[in-house]
Amino acid sequence: MSKTTIQFIILSIVLVLAQVVVFNHIYLFNVAVPMVFIYVIIRLPITLAINWVLTVSFFLGLTVDIFSDTYGMNALSCTVLAMLRRPVLRLYVPREEDLTRPEPSMQSLGTAVYLKYLLTMTLLYCMLIFTIEAFTFFNPLQLLLRIIFSTLLSMALMVGVDSLMTPRSEKRL
């Protein structure tokens, strides 16, 4: 196994445990729930085959579902997010040859493009999971507030995780 594979396995375990033990129990103002474990899906290498991306994403969501008692909602949302990953990246990076590294990061995409990519992916995931959870548009304002504030909170936490994941020698000031 390569160093990158081991890093992704450890990152997946840590983020799933953090999601299940800590982040699933945080409800800021009864609207914002951080969804940090999707960082693994967002950071998977672009060179990874779509079959592997879908498999990893499904099992990542299923693992969170098992421990959160959410009946497959995360598995479905993670699988759809995995399918949308490449088209969303193409919105911001027209050619994959422009990437300096195979995995999307602030170093390979640049700060502005990476933050747009991160925001789009997090927003898509929050829209999927909260719409599936509500399964109705009965209270659209509450649904919209949950989507927006969970996206912002999740994105802020994922930027923090990203800064921890970046080696010191690669950090820019």
Side-chain angles (χ1 to χ4, degrees), residues 155-167:
M155 188 173 157
L157 289 170
M158 282 189 275
V159 168
V161 170
D162 192 63
S163 69
L164 292 174
M165 292 294 300
T166 305

